[in-house]
Amino acid sequence: MEAMRIVMSGMWLQDPDSLSSGNSRLLMVFVGMVAVALIVQAIALIAMAVGAAKTRKRGLEIFEEIRAKVMPLMESSHGFIQDTAPKVKIITENLVETSHVVRAKAQEFDATASDLNSKTRAQMARVDGMVTSVLNTTSDISETVQRGIKVPLREVSGLVNGLKAGLDVLAGRAKGFGSGRASGRRPDSDDGW
């Protein structure tokens, strides 16, 4: 607006001969157009400022509504967090302690299982040795008993066979003794006796 006043006062202070009347009208039209454009621009800026103020006011109202609804939640959650924080800390400490205990017990169990496994293997080796020894001893005893029975049985069998043969020979001579043969030959033998 100030620029328009300066241009208008400059036009009034000029010599009338310096500008022609057609040029001065043209100049006034251009100045009027500039003035109208400046007025429209000012109105647009004022409308934008009013719109921004309304938007700001509405934004503040929304923010206050949200704050009014969220603040009780924040306060209750803050109280809840303050109440549960020590409990959560205790729970985490208990979990850490429990995991240490479980790890220690697992290591003890592993050591016990390894010890038991090695002892079981040693006992199995001993039992295997004992069973092998018993089987070998049983086999040896069986052979000894078998030899102990077979050898005397053969000897007794041989002795019985010898006695039988001797008795057969004596019985055969006794038959021939009563028949009157003085030569002592057996009648059934072909060998020339």
Side-chain angles (χ1 to χ4, degrees):
M1 289 258 207
E2 191 69 33
M4 200 161 91
R5 277 191 223 152
I6 293 173
V7 170
M8 292 300 262
S9 63
M11 287 176 58
W12 290 106
L13 293 175
Q14 278 186 354
D15 282 339
D17 291 336
S18 68
L19 284 175
S20 66
S21 69
N23 283 340
S24 71
R25 278 194 186 158
L26 199 57
L27 186 59
M28 285 185 69
V29 168
F30 283 130
V31 169
M33 284 174 50
V34 169
V36 169
L38 286 175
I39 290 171
V40 169
Q41 190 177 11
I43 291 171
L45 283 174
I46 290 170
M48 285 174 42
V50 168
K54 284 182 182 179
T55 304
R56 181 180 164 264
K57 184 178 178 184
R58 180 66 185 143
L60 287 174
E61 288 173 0
I62 291 172
F63 179 73
E64 286 299 321
E65 285 178 24
I66 291 172
R67 192 170 127 198
K69 290 179 181 177
V70 170
M71 283 309 283
L73 290 174
M74 293 289 284
E75 289 173 3
S76 66
S77 65
H78 181 67
F80 176 75
I81 290 172
Q82 284 181 344
D83 289 344
T84 58
K87 294 174 186 174
V88 170
K89 185 177 179 180
I90 290 171
I91 290 171
T92 55
E93 288 173 355
N94 288 342
L95 284 174
V96 167
E97 186 176 328
T98 302
S99 69
H100 288 303
V101 168
V102 167
R103 184 179 299 134
K105 292 300 178 186
Q107 288 173 348
E108 285 180 25
F109 179 75
D110 184 43
T112 303
S114 297
D115 186 43
L116 182 64
N117 191 13
S118 65
K119 286 181 180 179
T120 302
R121 285 184 182 169
Q123 288 297 328
M124 289 302 293
R126 285 183 62 206
V127 167
D128 184 46
M130 289 169 57
V131 168
T132 302
S133 174
V134 166
L135 289 175
N136 289 339
T137 304
T138 304
S139 175
D140 291 345
I141 290 172
S142 172
E143 281 182 34
T144 304
V145 167
Q146 199 173 27
R147 264 188 268 124
I149 291 174
K150 271 186 179 181
V151 170
L153 201 64
R154 279 185 192 158
E155 290 175 357
V156 167
S157 175
L159 202 86
V160 167
N161 285 337
L163 283 174
K164 185 178 172 187
L167 287 175
D168 281 345
V169 169
L170 286 174
R173 283 189 185 166
K175 277 187 185 178
F177 183 70
S179 66
R181 291 190 187 171
S183 63
R185 288 187 300 167
R186 284 187 7 203
D188 55 339
S189 76
D190 294 339
D191 54 346
W193 264 79

